[in-house]
């Protein structure tokens, strides 16, 4: 069964304290792994797509990496505005357009 | 601006009532999706559609129905058969091919009166 597990469930950081969020997955035929940011009462906002092991993507203070079993979202010197829930999702199978399988998310709180 | 519009933002349902959630996109995307989000759980797929007049059930389709009469519209009806409808409903869309990311609307929060 295709599955995505995110850890930790919640993470509290001080401003400037770098850390990483983990997304481990078991799927049959990974087409892509996606990271989203979700603010309270809003829809998920797309951050990154990773397609193959070894791939890395960066955007401001965020860097996403991918191995054959897991992905990390590294947050460098976070600011309070980085506080949100970060969702990881995978698209699996052999057909384009299949739905995403989501993890439960990691809620990040950054205090000044 | 291109995007996905969900309406209403908040919706209240009475016992035995069917309600319809709207989802419209002007991104010319082929595929559209409905997810349900409950506290402490990941997004779960209700229905999706890759082409007009065709759609497939997701993991939790019971008590829901959809239609796809136009490429830009994918309304979701929550029927009286759905006994626990209180949740945050999210609509998404994407281009087919190239494994493009799904883009989301800002959701509809449905509650029971």
């Amino acid at each position: 069964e295709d599955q995505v597990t995110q850890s930790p469930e919640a993470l509290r950081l001080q401003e400037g304290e770098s850390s990483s969020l983990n997304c481990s997955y078991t799927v049959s035929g990974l087409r892509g792994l996606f990271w989203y940011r979700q603010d309270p009462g809003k829809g998920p906002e797309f951050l990154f797509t990773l397609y193959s092991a070894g791939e890395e993507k960066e955007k401001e203070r965020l860097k996403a990496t991918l191995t054959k079993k897991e992905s990390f979202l590294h947050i460098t010197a976070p600011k309070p505005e980085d506080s949100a829930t970060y969702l990881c999702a995978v698209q699996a199978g052999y057909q384009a357009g299949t739905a995403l399988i989501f993890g439960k998310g990691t809620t990040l709180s950054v205090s000044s | 601006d291109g995007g996905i519009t969900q309406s209403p933002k908040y919706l209240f349902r009475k016992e035995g009532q069917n309600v319809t959630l709207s989802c419209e996109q002007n991104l010319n995307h082929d595929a559209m999706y409905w997810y349900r989000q409950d506290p402490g759980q990941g997004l779960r797929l209700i229905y999706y559609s890759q082409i007009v007049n065709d759609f497939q059930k997701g993991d939790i389709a019971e008590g829901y129905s959809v239609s796809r009469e136009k490429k830009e519209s994918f309304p979701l009806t929550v029927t009286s058969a759905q006994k626990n409808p209180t949740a945050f409903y999210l609509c998404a869309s994407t281009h087919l091919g190239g494994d493009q990311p799904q883009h989301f609307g800002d959701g509809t929060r449905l509650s029971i009166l």
Side-chain angles (χ1 to χ4, degrees):
Chain A
E1 180 184 350
D2 297 335
Q3 197 168 3
V4 176
T5 303
Q6 291 188 247
S7 62
E9 290 185 13
L11 181 62
R12 292 183 179 274
L13 299 174
Q14 291 290 319
E15 185 172 4
E17 180 187 1
S18 301
S19 188
S20 297
L21 282 56
N22 177 264
C23 171
S24 62
Y25 62 91
T26 52
V27 294
S28 52
L30 179 71
R31 298 184 68 92
L33 184 141
F34 303 86
W35 281 99
Y36 289 86
R37 169 191 170 127
Q38 186 176 25
D39 293 302
K42 298 285 190 179
E45 174 189 349
F46 170 70
L47 294 173
F48 304 109
T49 307
L50 301 166
Y51 294 106
S52 56
E55 190 174 359
E56 298 182 354
K57 295 272 181 74
E58 284 190 70
K59 179 181 180 181
E60 296 181 354
R61 295 177 293 281
L62 300 177
K63 179 180 178 181
T65 62
L66 181 65
T67 71
K68 288 186 177 180
K69 293 185 178 181
E70 58 191 350
S71 176
F72 291 94
L73 185 65
H74 307 277
I75 303 176
T76 302
K79 299 182 177 182
E81 53 262 41
D82 295 321
S83 298
T85 296
Y86 291 85
L87 302 174
C88 172
V90 298
Q91 188 171 44
Y94 303 97
Q95 181 184 10
T98 54
L100 300 178
I101 302 165
F102 281 84
K104 294 182 180 181
T106 293
T107 299
L108 173 66
S109 300
V110 182
S111 54
S112 57
Chain B
D1 287 337
I4 301 170
T5 301
Q6 290 189 241
S7 63
K9 190 171 178 63
Y10 299 97
L11 186 59
F12 298 91
R13 195 191 88 170
K14 295 179 180 178
E15 291 289 339
Q17 185 182 40
N18 294 351
V19 292
T20 297
L21 285 60
S22 171
C23 178
E24 303 275 335
Q25 55 96 1
N26 61 3
L27 301 166
N28 198 32
H29 282 170
D30 309 293
M32 298 185 73
Y33 309 80
W34 275 105
Y35 294 92
R36 170 178 171 144
Q37 188 174 36
D38 294 281
Q41 295 201 38
L43 276 68
R44 293 182 291 166
L45 180 68
I46 306 172
Y47 270 98
Y48 70 103
S49 168
Q50 296 185 337
I51 194 171
V52 172
N53 292 324
D54 188 47
F55 45 83
Q56 284 75 45
K57 291 182 179 180
D59 300 322
I60 55 167
E62 185 175 350
Y64 300 98
S65 65
V66 293
S67 62
R68 186 92 185 273
E69 297 178 0
K70 299 185 295 182
K71 185 177 183 179
E72 59 270 24
S73 178
F74 192 40
L76 173 73
T77 296
V78 184
T79 74
S80 57
Q82 172 49 246
K83 297 307 179 186
N84 183 23
T86 298
F88 191 47
Y89 291 86
L90 289 160
C91 177
S93 68
T94 188
H95 282 298
L96 289 177
D99 299 314
Q100 298 296 311
Q102 293 180 16
H103 295 275
F104 286 81
D106 271 343
T108 292
R109 188 166 298 280
L110 176 61
S111 302
I112 296 296
L113 279 177

